Amino acid sequence: QVQLAESGGGLVQAGGSLTLSCAASGGTFSNYYMGWFRQAPGKEREFVAAISNSGVRSSYADSVKGRFTISRDNAKSTLSLRMDSLTPEDTAVYYCAAGRRWYRTPTKDDYDYWGQGTRVTVSS
């Protein structure tokens, strides 16, 4: 069973950048397909980006495509999300998640393990 811990959230101005990290422990990180989700106040948790266990495949929600980049370092058991050109609509709690299959457009039900989340606030 893998444990996940996000970090890197904070307050940033619109147009700025932020990189989130997710540290994994307790499992073989390279066995897991990873994803980032986010949940804004009063809204459902939504898919942001996914990456295959090897890192070869990745996918993004349309709302972040071209602005966010997902990556992983299997040697360090870490997942990252680089976020550029942030807007107030990106304000949310961001979660990393681990699963055992590749889904191009996953739902939250496709992942087995979750971190506690890190809050990102984008001011206008």
Side-chain angles (χ1 to χ4, degrees):
Q1 182 171 344
V2 64
Q3 290 84 45
L4 304 172
E6 302 93 338
S7 62
L11 174 65
V12 62
Q13 288 188 330
S17 299
L18 207 58
T19 297
L20 306 182
S21 296
C22 174
S25 61
T28 303
F29 183 65
S30 59
N31 286 346
Y32 292 96
Y33 297 82
M34 302 297 295
W36 285 100
F37 284 70
R38 66 186 182 187
Q39 188 164 14
K43 294 188 176 182
E44 295 289 318
R45 191 170 299 189
E46 64 174 4
F47 165 70
V48 174
I51 191 166
S52 62
N53 59 337
S54 66
V56 170
R57 290 180 288 183
S58 62
S59 66
Y60 298 89
D62 288 343
S63 59
V64 307
K65 199 171 295 183
R67 300 188 299 121
F68 289 13
T69 304
I70 189 172
S71 61
R72 67 189 295 162
D73 185 336
N74 285 345
K76 296 182 179 179
S77 298
T78 58
L79 175 74
S80 297
L81 184 69
R82 167 75 178 187
M83 306 185 293
D84 295 317
S85 303
L86 286 162
T87 74
E89 288 68 39
D90 296 315
T91 295
V93 177
Y94 284 72
Y95 299 88
C96 67
R100 297 187 180 276
R101 290 185 60 185
W102 167 253
Y103 296 92
R104 187 170 183 81
T105 53
T107 70
K108 61 183 187 300
D109 294 332
D110 294 325
Y111 290 89
D112 302 307
Y113 306 103
W114 293 84
Q116 293 299 308
T118 185
R119 186 175 301 277
V120 173
T121 303
V122 184
S123 64
S124 57

